[in-house]
């Protein structure tokens, strides 16, 4: 699925860059002026904007490729880039509805959905199919890296694991109804 997002973002990068370059050439050849602005400045700024947005979408496509290759959730700058490109697609979809039509809006919402799905799907340990750690029993369950705590006796699936540092019945401190669970941080990609 990350490969699909990467291909779509790369295609958008090429399309946006080519469209802005074409519009810059049209403004330059026609000698158009908007509110007295110099046509050469308008043409140059359109071409620069096309290159900048094309590179932005290409970098976001590269992050999606890295997610696909590593089979892990994006982290840090990569996650920020994917979130920002999702926001950009939401805004472009809103503008497309009024300026272009419902088909462009639908395309932007499909791409937005793919990006959000990429961010949510890979938000587990071990990629797409990784499970939640252990199910409450250390050393068992969905997390293959889970290790039993030192000094802990193996317990059945339904039995709560006893810990020496928690208050026991008869202690002066109130006892929590749910034992404290320690979760290890998940590995992430840049």
């Amino acid at each position: 699925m990350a490969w699909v997002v990467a291909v779509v973002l790369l295609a958008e990068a090429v399309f946006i860059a080519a469209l802005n370059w074409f519009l810059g050439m049209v403004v330059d050849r026609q000698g158009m002026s908007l509110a007295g602005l110099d046509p050469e400045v308008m043409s140059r700024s359109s071409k620069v904007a096309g290159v900048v947005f094309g590179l932005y979408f290409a970098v976001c496509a590269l992050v999606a490729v890295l997610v696909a290759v590593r089979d892990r959730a994006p982290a840090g700058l990569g996650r920020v880039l994917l979130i920002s490109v999702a926001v950009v697609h939401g805004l472009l979809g809103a503008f497309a509805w009024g300026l272009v039509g419902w088909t462009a809006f639908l395309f932007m919402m499909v791409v937005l959905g793919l990006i959000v799905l990429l961010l949510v799907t890979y938000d587990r340990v071990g990629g797409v199919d990784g499970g939640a750690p252990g199910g409450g029993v250390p050393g068992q369950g969905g997390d293959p890296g889970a290790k039993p705590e030192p000094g802990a006796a193996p317990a059945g699936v339904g039995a709560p694991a006893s810990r020496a540092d928690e208050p026991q019945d008869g202690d002066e401190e109130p006892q929590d109804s749910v034992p404290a669970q320690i979760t290890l941080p998940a590995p992430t990609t840049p």
Side-chain angles (χ1 to χ4, degrees):
M1 204 262 313
W3 289 107
V4 173
V5 173
V7 168
V8 169
L9 287 176
L10 193 58
E12 278 187 322
V14 171
F15 177 75
I16 292 292
L19 178 67
N20 278 336
W21 195 272
F22 173 75
L23 290 176
M25 288 178 18
V26 168
V27 168
D28 191 32
R29 290 188 180 161
Q30 295 293 321
M32 296 178 185
S33 177
L34 180 66
L37 293 174
D38 184 22
E40 186 176 324
V41 171
M42 289 174 53
S43 171
R44 192 176 312 125
S45 62
S46 176
K47 290 176 183 178
V48 168
V51 169
V52 168
F53 281 115
L55 287 175
Y56 169 67
F57 282 127
V59 168
C60 292
L62 177 66
V63 170
V65 166
L66 289 175
V67 167
V69 168
R70 294 177 180 171
D71 198 28
R72 287 188 288 173
L77 182 61
R79 188 167 187 83
V80 169
L81 280 172
L82 287 178
I83 291 171
S84 69
V85 82
V87 170
V88 166
H89 277 86
L91 292 173
L92 286 176
F95 288 124
W97 179 272
L99 298 175
V100 181
W102 68 270
T103 54
F105 171 77
L106 183 63
F107 174 76
M108 288 296 160
M109 293 303 107
V110 166
V111 176
L112 171 65
L114 285 172
I115 295 168
V116 170
L117 190 61
L118 171 74
L119 288 166
V120 173
T121 303
Y122 283 92
D123 200 21
R124 296 186 189 111
V125 176
V128 177
D129 295 325
V137 180
Q140 297 178 0
D143 189 8
K147 296 181 176 120
E149 295 179 11
V157 175
S162 175
R163 294 181 46 171
D165 60 337
E166 289 184 349
Q168 301 296 319
D169 288 334
D171 288 344
E172 294 178 16
E173 299 178 85
Q175 186 174 5
D176 291 335
S177 61
V178 178
Q181 294 181 355
I182 299 172
T183 56
L184 299 174
T188 57
T189 59

